[in-house]
Amino acid sequence: MSRFLNKRLKGVTPYVPGEQPKDGRIIKLNTNESPFGPSPQVAKRLKEMKGFHRYPDPSTQKATQAISRYYGLDPEQLLLGNGSDELLSFSFYAYGTKMIFPQITYGFYPVVARAFGEHFREIPLEKDLSINPKTYYNAGATVVLANPNAPTGLALKKKEIQGILENNRNNMVIVDEAYVDFGAESVVPLVGKYENLLVIQTFSKSRGLASMRIGLAMAQREIIDDLKRIKYSFNPYSVSGEALAAVEASLEDRLYFEKTTGEVAETRTWFSHEMRRLGHRVVESRANFVLVTGGKAYQEYLWSRGIMVRHFDKKPIADYVRITIGTREEMKKVVEVTEERYA
Ligand SMILES: *Cc1c(COP(=O)(O)O)cnc(C)c1O
């Protein structure tokens, strides 16, 4: 840290992303990526691309129109970003000052809030690790919820989020739907109805495009205009031409998307059942990962067998590990290796 750094940033502990191993033999189940990758149409489109010497379209018009058709929202209700982390940062900057979010949720939220010098309150989860929607009523602050939540995988119903929206007419409610495509209810259909709703999604998980950095914000026009104001004051070309082409190709291949997300959900059900059979408690997940008991010792054991999973050294989830759902083969290997531990 230099002595010139802004005082506000001196106390910030940056977010620590899950490791990216260099060794290809490792089974990587620690950062919730897709085991399948994007639709083959994406690679095809990228191969045909020309014009790398030109700036991408800062208004992202073509890709935005494709998203508009896909979700049935107006183009003015959409904004693409350099990953949803960028859009989350913009929204925290826009609607920060006072914020509340769960005590156990995406670890990036408190980091961004601190970086922008915002006050935030963390609400404990219920005993069963669920979120009680009523604890977010009349929050007097910007509400931030990941739905499904991470790293629990538990999801709120659309009705429950609607309750939070109804009871926060003067507060923004940001719903991070990074994992919604794996089996939770999206609140995108409520965008037209609530001026205080901002939905954020990503192409990193269910669309297998983590490396491309594509995030999507959906809200009423005034909210999107706020975010654009920040984008154009910050980094007008934040989404690359390659990423924009990938958005279009990915959305066009609906069949691949449904097949791969469906397969992840099936494997999740199978894997959860197997882990319970082996005596682990498993949180009922609607995401592409599951939280299972075992804690640090289990994480280290799996690591010694070449399987990367994530442990959070934080109450009340310190006794768990989070395991990303990979291919059926990979998950069979996890079950096998776990059985050997007890043999
Ligand atoms: C992975 C993740 C993100 C970040 O996604 P990017 O679009 O890759 O930046 C955002 N929110 C949650 C809850 C996530 O798990």
Side-chain angles (χ1 to χ4, degrees):
M1 198 186 320
S2 85
R3 63 195 169 89
F4 305 107
L5 182 67
N6 182 328
K7 223 196 309 172
R8 196 179 61 224
L9 290 171
K10 287 187 179 164
V12 173
T13 313
Y15 180 72
V16 184
E19 257 180 281
Q20 295 295 346
K22 309 286 176 291
D23 184 340
R25 284 164 307 180
I26 283 170
I27 297 185
K28 189 176 179 307
L29 306 173
N30 67 331
T31 52
N32 301 341
E33 291 140 329
S34 159
F36 304 115
S39 155
Q41 297 306 316
V42 172
K44 206 167 142 229
R45 193 72 53 92
L46 290 174
K47 235 179 251 157
E48 293 162 1
M49 261 189 95
K50 292 192 187 79
F52 297 115
H53 58 307
R54 300 292 182 205
Y55 281 107
D57 169 17
S59 75
T60 72
Q61 192 184 18
K62 273 185 71 201
T64 303
Q65 274 165 356
I67 297 166
S68 159
R69 287 191 296 273
Y70 191 93
Y71 286 99
L73 294 172
D74 295 337
E76 293 74 28
Q77 298 176 314
L78 303 168
L79 181 66
L80 280 160
N82 187 265
S84 59
D85 285 344
E86 183 183 64
L87 296 168
L88 286 164
S89 300
F90 288 176
S91 347
F92 276 46
Y93 192 47
Y95 308 112
T97 347
K98 280 163 76 183
M99 321 195 73
I100 69 165
F101 40 79
Q103 191 225 339
I104 298 296
T105 189
Y106 185 31
F108 190 58
Y109 303 156
V111 173
V112 188
R114 280 202 187 95
F116 291 143
E118 285 147 5
H119 294 277
F120 61 90
R121 205 151 49 87
E122 295 175 294
I123 311 292
L125 298 180
E126 301 295 292
K127 265 222 164 63
D128 63 359
L129 304 181
S130 68
I131 288 169
N132 177 354
K134 296 226 162 64
T135 53
Y136 294 85
Y137 283 13
N138 307 308
T142 292
V143 177
V144 187
L145 293 170
N147 194 54
N149 196 18
T152 64
L154 291 167
L156 292 171
K157 294 216 161 5
K158 188 166 98 189
K159 264 257 143 55
E160 294 176 305
I161 296 182
Q162 198 160 2
I164 295 172
L165 289 160
E166 296 273 352
N167 289 282
N168 280 291
R169 291 290 188 175
N170 296 317
N171 304 310
M172 278 302 297
V173 177
I174 301 169
V175 183
D176 179 353
E177 294 192 333
Y179 301 104
V180 78
D181 297 326
F182 298 106
E185 266 187 303
S186 174
V187 290
V188 170
L190 300 180
V191 161
K193 206 169 164 191
Y194 294 97
E195 56 169 4
N196 57 336
L197 171 62
L198 168 58
V199 186
I200 296 194
Q201 291 193 0
T202 177
F203 280 55
S204 296
K205 313 282 165 55
S206 59
R207 293 188 178 274
L209 284 162
S211 171
M212 279 278 175
R213 314 304 307 127
I214 303 161
L216 175 59
M218 296 179 263
Q220 290 191 11
R221 185 192 185 131
E222 291 73 14
I223 301 295
I224 294 299
D225 286 348
D226 294 343
L227 299 182
K228 283 182 183 165
R229 180 186 281 262
I230 298 172
K231 168 181 154 155
Y232 285 102
S233 314
F234 187 86
N235 184 6
Y237 298 109
S238 71
V239 187
S240 72
E242 292 79 356
L244 294 174
V247 165
E248 288 183 59
S250 172
L251 290 177
E252 280 164 22
D253 197 349
R254 207 183 267 263
L255 204 64
Y256 179 87
F257 170 74
E258 279 162 13
K259 191 167 153 279
T260 48
T261 49
E263 202 163 318
V264 166
E266 269 176 43
T267 302
R268 176 186 67 210
T269 305
W270 174 82
F271 180 70
S272 301
H273 179 266
E274 287 296 292
M275 290 304 284
R276 288 189 183 111
R277 180 176 65 77
L278 297 175
H280 291 254
R281 260 182 298 129
V282 181
V283 181
E284 196 61 54
S285 171
R286 300 211 162 251
N288 66 340
F289 55 82
V290 286
L291 203 58
V292 309
T293 47
K296 184 84 186 150
Y298 183 44
Q299 185 224 356
E300 281 171 356
Y301 170 73
L302 289 177
W303 179 225
S304 76
R305 302 292 309 267
I307 299 168
M308 291 179 89
V309 301
R310 197 132 192 224
H311 173 252
F312 298 89
D313 195 9
K314 196 173 175 185
K315 269 189 180 170
I317 54 166
D319 294 340
Y320 291 83
V321 299
R322 187 194 69 191
I323 307 180
T324 303
I325 301 299
T327 61
R328 186 64 75 114
E329 286 313 304
E330 288 172 328
M331 302 322 282
K332 276 185 181 158
K333 182 80 188 171
V334 177
V335 170
E336 217 177 275
V337 161
T338 303
E339 265 173 333
E340 282 167 24
R341 190 184 185 208
Y342 303 121

